[in-house]
Amino acid sequence: MTIAADQWSTHFKETNDTNEELNAHGKFFTCSYLLDMETKKFLIQTHAGKIEKITIDPDPLDHYQFAIRASADTWRKFSQPTPPPMYHGIWAASFKRDMKLEGDLLVLMQNLRCITTQLELLRVVGVPV
Amino acid sequence: MPKAKISPVTGRYVTIEVDGDEYKVFYLENGTGQPIVCQHTAGCHNHQWRGLLEDEELTQNYRIIAYDLPRHGKSDPPLNREWWKEEYKLTADFYTKFIVTLCDALELERPIFMGSSFGGNVALQLALRYPDRFEAVIPVEAADYSPGFYLDWWHHPHANAAQVCASGVWDLMAPQSPDKDRWATWFYYSQGSEAFKGDLYFYSVDHDLRGKLDQIQGDKVKVVMLTGDYDYLTTPEDGRRTASQIKNAEFVEMVGIGHFPMSENHEVFRKYLKQALDMIRTAKA
């Protein structure tokens, strides 16, 4: 069963904002990025480790710094509690599957630890695709 | 007063000379029997082998020696050269010569050599170049060729190199490996970021055994390759392909583990290592 996008957004934000690791290390985790899940897109705006805003299917001119794009199938596998090999991280899925990292990758690299942690929360909340 | 828990693992330094350069090399060891010389992964240090070094069963029959490559852990860069005036790029020539010189200095007779990642790749180089010097090699997470990881991101001055190196290799580990061990491996990687890129020059550029694997004398030096199914850099397919071209080589796919098996999940790794050591023992008999 696929969770509705608005419910997912609320759950993802709550899970992120109460995550102990991000609370401990996210002081400078401020950026905006697009999660492109093929059939749904989400613009995630993070400030000091908390999710400030999630825009569902943003408009074409909405600004973000980098994008992480993959098929809905890849995101579904990525978000399993124990993902299968090659779907277990953004590097693995970019090297070996259809994930693409685009835009200002310096911002991604500057926030790599927190982004990694934030995306692993998908294994708790699932994905809406 | 409760009795303190003192580990049987000991640490020592040995000074050796390679190509006219002097190195004070730090190594940990424990156990008795046939030596197994252990190489850590790129940008890391010998504490990755902590589980094996304290493995009560394996150290009954094997003398486990885990060293820090120069520029890693407690082994400094060369003592008698202005190393800071040149870019660090590890080469297969130096790497193999260093390992053999270290084994000679420790007076090891026909040891088994085991390394992971760039340590696995150098195990293949040792088998090719020094078939008379080693009883066997266990290349872990290795392949004939492993391009794609000699990246400028490891040294980008606008990013936190320690975090990029440590988090960049995070998903080389299997998600089911214990959190405490994955985080310990992350921690080791946050310590070695300056050497990481130069190590990867060997891993992704200088190491290339394509078309040469049939020259490895697998009847003299037994080759047993181990690769975890969560390794996206040197996949089980890469390991299988490599082993298939080496005479008498064996390949074992490790399930539920990634690129740093010895430090991310020793309990799973040791089962496969025992299998590899059995294969070596059988080949010897």
Side-chain angles (χ1 to χ4, degrees):
Chain A
M1 191 182 75
T2 307
I3 187 171
D6 52 352
Q7 277 180 287
W8 175 84
S9 296
T10 304
H11 192 194
F12 187 50
K13 177 176 165 42
E14 285 170 359
T15 306
N16 180 90
D17 292 357
T18 56
N19 181 267
E20 289 177 327
E21 191 189 314
L22 285 169
N23 283 335
H25 304 293
K27 184 177 177 185
F28 298 106
F29 179 30
T30 298
C31 62
S32 60
Y33 67 98
L34 187 75
L35 272 185
D36 182 344
M37 298 187 179
E38 187 181 357
T39 56
K40 276 279 169 211
K41 294 179 178 59
F42 301 91
L43 199 170
I44 314 288
Q45 290 172 269
T46 302
H47 181 77
K50 310 283 191 205
I51 291 180
E52 203 169 56
K53 188 180 178 188
I54 296 177
T55 306
I56 302 168
D57 290 331
D59 291 329
L61 297 184
D62 283 347
H63 177 264
Y64 51 86
Q65 292 167 294
F66 61 90
I68 304 175
R69 306 181 194 275
S71 64
D73 179 62
T74 291
W75 284 113
R76 281 193 284 267
K77 288 174 177 155
F78 183 98
S79 64
Q80 289 174 19
T82 302
M86 308 308 145
Y87 295 93
H88 59 292
I90 60 173
W91 290 62
S94 300
F95 271 63
K96 294 296 180 189
R97 296 294 182 262
D98 66 0
M99 187 170 281
K100 302 275 184 264
L101 308 175
E102 296 175 0
D104 191 350
L105 296 188
L106 178 58
V107 178
L108 169 64
M109 293 300 175
Q110 287 168 333
N111 293 282
L112 189 58
R113 180 63 257 161
C114 289
I115 289 282
T116 301
T117 300
Q118 190 169 65
L119 291 177
E120 288 187 357
L121 298 179
L122 297 177
R123 291 170 193 160
V124 179
V125 301
V127 288
V129 290
Chain B
M1 202 167 138
K3 198 174 177 192
K5 281 173 72 176
I6 296 177
S7 170
V9 178
T10 56
R12 301 188 77 169
Y13 285 99
V14 58
T15 301
I16 64 174
E17 190 179 300
V18 184
D19 291 337
D21 290 338
E22 201 181 354
Y23 297 95
K24 197 171 179 182
V25 182
F26 180 71
Y27 64 100
L28 296 167
E29 76 164 283
N30 185 30
T32 53
Q34 183 167 25
I36 302 179
V37 180
C38 301
Q39 169 68 57
H40 54 78
T41 61
C44 215
H45 51 74
N46 60 7
H47 199 45
Q48 273 186 317
W49 296 100
R50 67 193 187 281
L52 179 58
L53 283 159
E54 293 191 331
D55 190 305
E56 289 182 8
E57 182 188 353
L58 284 162
T59 52
Q60 279 180 15
N61 296 310
Y62 294 97
R63 179 185 171 196
I64 309 297
I65 298 168
Y67 60 90
D68 287 339
L69 196 66
R71 304 167 189 261
H72 299 73
K74 291 185 174 65
S75 294
D76 288 340
L79 301 173
N80 58 336
R81 185 159 60 86
E82 293 177 323
W83 53 269
W84 55 91
K85 292 185 175 175
E86 58 194 64
E87 185 180 0
Y88 170 54
K89 285 183 178 176
L90 181 66
T91 64
D93 285 345
F94 169 79
Y95 200 1
T96 50
K97 217 179 286 181
F98 170 83
I99 292 165
V100 171
T101 305
L102 175 64
C103 290
D104 288 344
L106 298 181
E107 299 178 3
L108 306 180
E109 287 188 16
R110 292 187 63 78
I112 296 170
F113 181 88
M114 173 164 61
S116 182
S117 184
F118 89 144
N121 285 356
V122 83
L124 293 170
Q125 294 275 355
L126 289 169
L128 175 67
R129 294 167 187 237
Y130 298 96
D132 298 319
R133 191 63 188 82
F134 297 92
E135 176 79 38
V137 296
I138 305 176
V140 182
E141 316 304 325
D144 51 357
Y145 186 49
S146 48
F149 231 46
Y150 185 56
L151 301 170
D152 286 335
W153 286 115
W154 312 126
H155 275 180
H156 199 299
H158 295 176
N160 179 334
Q163 292 233 343
V164 171
C165 293
S167 300
V169 302
W170 177 258
D171 55 89
L172 279 171
M173 291 183 272
Q176 57 268 59
S177 291
D179 275 351
K180 68 178 177 58
D181 294 315
R182 283 199 299 162
W183 274 103
T185 304
W186 181 91
F187 170 66
Y188 305 154
Y189 260 83
S190 71
Q191 298 174 308
S193 50
E194 200 53 39
F196 189 42
K197 188 183 175 195
D199 288 348
L200 293 171
Y201 179 79
F202 165 76
Y203 178 76
S204 278
V205 182
D206 200 43
H207 169 79
D208 186 353
L209 292 182
R210 289 174 298 175
K212 295 179 183 169
L213 294 170
D214 62 351
Q215 296 170 31
I216 293 177
Q217 299 175 55
D219 45 351
K220 278 191 177 175
V221 53
K222 180 72 176 171
V223 178
V224 182
M225 299 186 67
L226 305 174
T227 302
D229 60 352
Y230 277 86
D231 186 347
Y232 70 81
L233 270 182
T234 44
T235 64
E237 291 71 32
D238 294 326
R240 197 172 281 114
R241 178 194 69 241
T242 302
S244 72
Q245 295 172 56
I246 301 170
K247 189 179 182 185
N248 291 337
E250 315 256 10
F251 173 76
V252 177
E253 179 173 341
M254 300 187 287
V255 176
I257 202 162
H259 193 77
F260 310 105
M262 65 288 191
S263 68
E264 72 173 80
N265 198 338
H266 176 69
E267 286 308 306
V268 169
F269 177 59
R270 72 187 302 279
K271 289 187 290 188
Y272 292 106
L273 176 57
K274 283 170 68 176
Q275 195 180 335
L277 293 171
D278 283 346
M279 288 171 172
I280 292 167
R281 227 176 3 249
T282 304
K284 196 177 175 183

